[in-house]
Amino acid sequence: LGRAHVAMSERLSQSQLVKSAYRELLRFIRRLPASEQPAKLAEAAETMRKHRSETNAQKVSDLHKELVAKIGWLRIVTPRRQGDSQRIGAGNFVIRDGKLVEGRAGSKGNRVADGKVSMNEAREIHHRLLRRQYFGKDPPKSIGPF
């Protein structure tokens, strides 16, 4: 009974993985041009039906790997739709005028590499930031080789 339960739970988790990957595959197929969608959807459905009753764990694992590879390929070749980045949770957000808005922070350009700040000014800024980091106290002297 113990082995059968473990095998069934493994098969169930593999089944859930395959179903999840299949749903993701369908989402990517729907991003394809309308002329390519029907053939790709039919091919995906046919493949899933063909291997629906597969019980060999190694074979299921191999089929799952193929499915993931197809998803990877489609992820590369399909264009993103408007708003996909927000749905995934990606994006850049900043607070402007007390409101959270999408965008990037403006750079002040106070960099030595830009040539806008001299080396001495950069050193002063650096030491001021170090004192701030140590709550107004001077930072400890470095013990390392630098």
Side-chain angles (χ1 to χ4, degrees):
L1 180 70
R3 281 190 212 166
H5 185 271
V6 169
M8 186 173 139
S9 68
E10 284 178 4
R11 189 175 32 221
L12 181 64
S13 64
Q14 280 182 334
S15 172
Q16 289 172 339
L17 284 173
V18 170
K19 287 177 185 176
S20 174
Y22 179 63
R23 278 188 229 106
E24 188 175 1
L25 177 70
L26 293 178
R27 276 193 297 271
F28 280 108
I29 289 174
R30 287 187 190 108
R31 286 186 188 174
L32 291 171
S35 61
E36 295 179 30
Q37 285 182 19
K40 296 288 184 183
L41 286 170
E43 178 187 343
E46 161 66 24
T47 303
M48 289 301 288
R49 279 190 217 106
K50 182 176 164 184
H51 298 291
R52 177 176 32 199
S53 60
E54 188 64 53
T55 57
N56 183 351
Q58 182 62 40
K59 181 73 174 169
V60 171
S61 178
D62 291 342
L63 291 168
H64 181 254
K65 287 178 186 175
E66 277 183 41
L67 189 58
V68 170
K70 285 181 184 179
I71 291 169
W73 172 252
L74 284 173
R75 185 174 281 136
I76 292 169
V77 299
T78 56
R80 281 192 172 189
R81 290 183 178 163
Q82 185 72 20
D84 276 351
S85 62
Q86 285 128 1
R87 194 169 40 234
I88 296 170
N92 298 312
F93 296 90
V94 294
I95 295 179
R96 289 196 181 116
D97 300 324
K99 295 180 182 175
L100 185 66
V101 295
E102 189 170 1
R104 295 190 181 268
S107 174
K108 293 181 182 178
N110 291 340
R111 308 262 339 211
V112 175
D114 294 344
K116 296 179 180 178
V117 178
S118 71
M119 191 65 154
N120 288 335
E121 288 173 316
R123 187 179 308 271
E124 287 174 18
I125 292 169
H126 172 69
H127 285 293
R128 186 182 57 211
L129 290 173
L130 280 175
R131 280 193 302 278
R132 179 179 171 192
Q133 177 182 349
Y134 286 94
F135 303 103
K137 298 177 183 171
D138 286 333
K141 299 295 179 197
S142 176
I143 301 174
F146 299 98

